[in-house]
Amino acid sequence: MRAPIARRTYWVLALVGLFTPLVLWALLAAFGGLDPVFLPAPLQVLTKTWTWATETGLFDDMGISIYRVVTGFLLSAIIALPLGLFIGSYRAVQALLEPLTDFIRYMPAVAFIPLVMLWVGIGEGSKIAIIFIGTFFQMVLMVAEDVRRVPAAQVEAAQTMGANRSELVEKVIFPSAKPALLDTLRITMGWAWTYLVVAELVAANSGLGYAILRAQRFLQTDTIFAGIIVIGLIGLVTDQLFRLAHRRAFPWLYLKG
């Protein structure tokens, strides 16, 4: 259980996991008797992706979508990290803010679209606001839980040595929670991407989500598949960058034995 495996074995298994669904998809498209409108073949989707990239501005759509997701995510993180830190550290702040955060986080982000359009307008701010709403409240609660998992023994030891409240937060709780906090950011970045299509419902004329919604109207299933796969690839690269950053920032967590 949890025993390490060779790096070569890891990559072989990872490639098998990635390509097995692709092979099954190709077989189903070729021999399943399905209309390409409902399930285009992988080669058809690859061809469409190439056409999109070379003729109709795939990289422009990627750029604007990455900008919206990253901006919304960073705004969430800038506010959620300190807020979650205080909720997890102080019971009074928890009592004041956690019930409200729990209440709001169950509200679907798409329900805020009419309000966002009224408050922010239909420019870039509205797309960023939807991504912010979709990630912020979840992030606050996850950060608070990460902080609460800091061992009480560490806090008590620091108190015994005379640390005051601010020192406990600054020098004990936050440093101890850092590895978990980076994992939380990695997970919520994935959520930010899931809200992209919802965000680009708001008067968008560019972006990957907009391209998927436009393709839906014209039954361009190959474009829908292409957009979903591109988003997945961007997410995969982002996730691996977070994992690499975690290894570089906290190498002692990966020591063997």
Side-chain angles (χ1 to χ4, degrees):
M1 182 68 68
R2 297 185 179 179
I5 60 175
R7 181 174 294 274
R8 181 177 180 180
T9 304
Y10 175 88
W11 283 108
V12 169
L13 292 174
L15 291 173
V16 169
L18 285 171
F19 283 102
T20 297
L22 183 63
V23 172
L24 293 176
W25 172 18
L27 292 174
L28 185 60
F31 305 108
L34 297 175
D35 191 318
V37 172
F38 297 100
L39 185 67
L43 184 58
Q44 182 182 348
V45 173
L46 183 61
T47 302
K48 183 63 179 182
T49 305
W50 176 256
T51 303
W52 189 0
T54 57
E55 298 179 11
T56 54
L58 171 61
F59 295 108
D60 292 336
D61 288 329
M62 288 173 58
I64 191 63
S65 291
I66 291 172
Y67 164 75
R68 290 164 180 163
V69 169
V70 170
T71 304
F73 170 79
L74 288 178
L75 287 174
S76 294
I78 288 170
I79 303 173
L81 284 173
L83 190 58
L85 182 61
F86 282 108
I87 290 175
S89 300
Y90 300 106
R91 290 298 179 91
V93 180
Q94 178 184 355
L96 178 66
L97 297 178
E98 193 169 61
L100 176 63
T101 307
D102 267 328
F103 173 68
I104 297 177
R105 78 185 178 97
Y106 282 102
M107 298 178 182
V110 67
F112 286 92
I113 288 179
L115 294 175
V116 169
M117 293 176 69
L118 287 173
W119 294 339
V120 185
I122 59 174
E124 287 302 309
S126 59
K127 287 82 169 170
I128 294 168
I130 292 297
I131 293 171
F132 173 87
I133 292 170
T135 56
F136 172 73
F137 299 100
Q138 310 281 357
M139 190 186 296
V140 168
L141 294 176
M142 291 183 69
V143 168
E145 285 300 317
D146 292 336
V147 171
R148 280 194 283 264
R149 290 193 189 100
V150 173
Q154 295 183 12
V155 177
E156 292 167 358
Q159 287 175 323
T160 301
M161 297 175 68
N164 57 35
R165 288 187 175 185
S166 61
E167 288 173 335
L168 285 174
V169 173
E170 180 185 351
K171 298 182 179 180
V172 179
I173 294 176
F174 180 61
S176 182
K178 277 182 181 180
L181 293 177
L182 188 53
D183 277 334
T184 290
L185 292 177
R186 177 173 64 86
I187 293 168
T188 49
M189 171 58 90
W191 291 345
W193 275 103
T194 65
Y195 284 105
L196 175 65
V197 177
V198 173
E200 291 182 345
L201 282 171
V202 186
N205 56 10
S206 62
L208 296 171
Y210 166 76
I212 291 172
L213 294 169
R214 182 184 59 192
Q216 178 190 6
R217 290 196 293 268
F218 298 100
L219 289 178
Q220 297 172 340
T221 319
D222 51 356
T223 302
I224 296 174
F225 270 84
I228 292 171
I229 291 171
V230 168
I231 291 174
L233 290 173
I234 295 172
L236 179 62
V237 171
T238 304
D239 192 76
Q240 294 306 309
L241 290 175
F242 268 105
R243 288 178 184 272
L244 179 61
H246 198 280
R247 282 183 171 273
R248 294 289 178 87
F250 315 108
W252 61 87
L253 297 176
Y254 300 91
L255 295 175
K256 295 182 180 179

